[in-house]
Amino acid sequence: MAQKDTQGGIKERTRLNFKVPHMYKVILVNDDFTPMDFVVEILTNIFRLDTAHAHAVMLQVHHQGKGIAGVYTLDRALTLSNQAMQQARDNGYPLRLKCEPE
């Protein structure tokens, strides 16, 4: 709480209300064409996962059909997923990502 002087020397307390932003999962969707190594590269270079975690997510995508790359605010989730999909398109791969509320 912040305090400020008002007229007459009385201190008034004001409350600052901050809302925690909603978080969104970035989900990779399995396809039959994007190489596993490329998925790991996307996860390490764009989503900044360490190599072991990136391999684990890639295998989850491969075996279960989808995997979570990370959890972010909406703007960050959309930015990262768009960067990943653009890099995939630039390399000729149909990699799909989607953002869902956590």
Side-chain angles (χ1 to χ4, degrees), residues 6-101:
T6 60
Q7 293 177 344
I10 299 172
K11 288 187 177 182
E12 178 182 311
R13 291 181 186 224
T14 55
R15 277 190 192 264
L16 302 175
N17 292 324
F18 295 101
K19 291 186 178 181
V20 176
H22 295 287
M23 302 301 281
Y24 291 80
K25 298 180 282 193
V26 177
I27 299 172
L28 284 91
V29 180
N30 190 36
D31 64 68
D32 293 333
F33 303 102
T34 306
M36 292 179 185
D37 291 339
F38 183 78
V39 173
V40 170
E41 182 181 325
I42 291 286
L43 291 168
T44 56
N45 293 339
I46 294 178
F47 293 95
R48 303 288 183 213
L49 300 183
D50 62 65
T51 305
H53 190 187
H55 273 94
V57 172
M58 177 273 297
L59 288 173
Q60 184 179 29
V61 171
H62 181 68
H63 293 294
Q64 298 176 8
K66 62 183 178 178
I68 298 173
V71 180
Y72 308 93
T73 61
L74 180 59
D75 288 344
R76 187 75 177 137
L78 291 173
T79 298
L80 292 174
S81 62
N82 287 335
Q83 286 176 357
M85 285 192 290
Q86 185 59 52
Q87 188 171 337
R89 299 300 171 271
D90 291 347
N91 286 278
Y93 302 123
L95 180 67
R96 282 189 27 234
L97 294 95
K98 59 184 180 177
C99 299
E100 293 182 354

